[in-house]
Amino acid sequence: MEAEAILQLEKVRRAAKRRMDEAEERARVQRVKDTATEARTTAMLLDRREKAVAAAAVAVREKEAAAALRQEALDLGPIAVDPAWEIELVELGEKLAALRSQVE
C-alpha cells in the first residue's frame, strides 16, 4: 500500500512537472510573440516618425519657397500697366470683328 502511494505520488509529481513545463513553454512562446509584435510596432512607429519628419521638412521648404516668391514679388514693386492697353484691346476687337465679317 505504501509502495502504491509512493508510485501515485511520483505519478502526480511527474504530471505536475509536465504541466509546469508545458506552461513554461507556452509562456516562452508568448514572450517570443510579444517581442516580435513589439519589434514590428517599434519599426512601424519609427517609419511613421521618419515620414512625419520628412513631410515637415517638405512643408518648411514649401513655406520658405512661397515666402521667397512673395518677397520677390514685393521687391519688383507695384504692377505697372501700359496705359495704351485699352486702345490696343479696342483695335484688336475691331480686327477680330473685321475678320469675322470676312468669314461670313
Side-chain angles (χ1 to χ4, degrees):
M1 181 101 140
E2 189 176 311
E4 287 179 24
I6 291 173
L7 286 175
Q8 185 66 22
L9 182 60
E10 187 59 33
K11 186 178 178 182
V12 170
R13 283 183 187 161
R14 281 186 295 215
K17 181 170 179 358
R18 188 182 72 248
R19 285 192 306 272
M20 187 176 7
D21 290 344
E22 290 170 353
E24 286 175 357
E25 179 61 19
R26 283 192 303 272
R28 186 192 66 76
V29 168
Q30 187 61 45
R31 282 192 303 271
V32 168
K33 287 180 182 178
D34 291 346
T35 300
T37 300
E38 184 177 343
R40 283 192 310 272
T41 302
T42 300
M44 179 190 64
L45 291 174
L46 287 174
D47 182 53
R48 285 184 181 178
R49 180 176 180 197
E50 289 172 0
K51 287 179 181 179
V53 167
V58 167
V60 166
R61 285 194 301 272
E62 288 175 352
K63 185 177 179 180
E64 289 172 352
L69 284 175
R70 197 169 25 261
Q71 187 57 47
E72 183 180 352
L74 291 174
D75 291 344
L76 290 174
I79 298 173
V81 178
D82 183 9
W85 73 272
E86 289 181 3
I87 297 169
E88 185 177 346
L89 185 62
V90 170
E91 290 173 354
L92 288 173
E94 291 171 354
K95 286 181 184 179
L96 180 61
L99 289 171
R100 283 186 180 156
S101 67
Q102 289 176 0
V103 173
E104 294 173 354

